[in-house]
Amino acid sequence: MDLYERIAELGSMGYHCSQMMMIMTLETIGEENPQLVKALGGLGGGIGYCGDICGCLTGGACAEKEDVQMKPAVQELYQWFREKTEEEFGVFYCKDITHLDWGVIMERCPALIAETYMKVMEILTERGIIEV
């Protein structure tokens, strides 16, 4: 199953972006943590569906392992995500990217989730925090 198929499958199961980020990260490192995935439920839709910081970014930041390199890794992810969304969409916040409209979400979010997940994996492996 490719990354986009997995994202679609998770979406059909009711998971949103921050949860998908964590599920796929846990799968990559061979772990499960249903309680953690459930806890990330409050981050979807820009933190409680308020349209603030995208769940791709917050979920990706939560995927960073507790490590001395964690702070710079999260900062790198933040900077990359901000530049990417502003370049691609001209905006940064979930409400501006998606207009909190299901049709727009279905159009834009799968690629954003996939690209953010790949960036998280890149950051973590380059820093030796995880091995893929």
Side-chain angles (χ1 to χ4, degrees):
M1 176 179 311
D2 79 4
L3 185 55
Y4 286 91
E5 290 171 334
R6 184 63 175 140
I7 291 167
E9 178 182 55
L10 291 171
S12 72
M13 296 168 67
Y15 293 109
H16 52 74
C17 48
S18 59
Q19 292 171 310
M20 290 181 202
M21 293 294 298
M22 185 57 66
I23 290 168
M24 294 185 304
T25 300
L26 290 168
E27 289 172 348
T28 299
I29 61 175
E31 295 181 14
E32 290 184 21
N33 192 331
Q35 292 298 80
L36 177 58
V37 171
K38 183 178 179 180
L40 289 175
L43 299 177
I47 305 175
Y49 294 92
C50 292
D52 208 288
I53 303 295
C54 175
C56 291
L57 177 57
T58 56
C62 291
E64 309 286 337
K65 287 197 158 249
E66 190 64 42
D67 185 276
V68 70
Q69 298 182 65
M70 186 174 109
K71 188 184 289 183
V74 172
Q75 291 169 345
E76 181 181 345
L77 177 64
Y78 174 87
Q79 189 62 38
W80 171 86
F81 188 86
R82 184 163 196 121
E83 289 172 7
K84 180 197 179 7
T85 55
E86 288 180 347
E87 180 180 306
E88 187 170 338
F89 306 113
V91 293
F92 174 70
Y93 293 101
C94 178
K95 66 183 171 203
D96 300 319
I97 295 169
T98 68
H99 309 291
L100 301 178
D101 176 277
W102 191 246
V104 176
I105 290 168
M106 294 303 292
E107 175 187 323
R108 292 184 173 178
C109 294
L112 189 55
I113 294 166
E115 291 174 43
T116 304
Y117 167 77
M118 290 186 292
K119 185 63 177 181
V120 167
M121 292 299 104
E122 175 188 310
I123 290 169
L124 294 177
T125 55
E126 283 179 354
R127 293 174 181 276
I129 297 170
I130 66 167
E131 292 182 23
V132 180

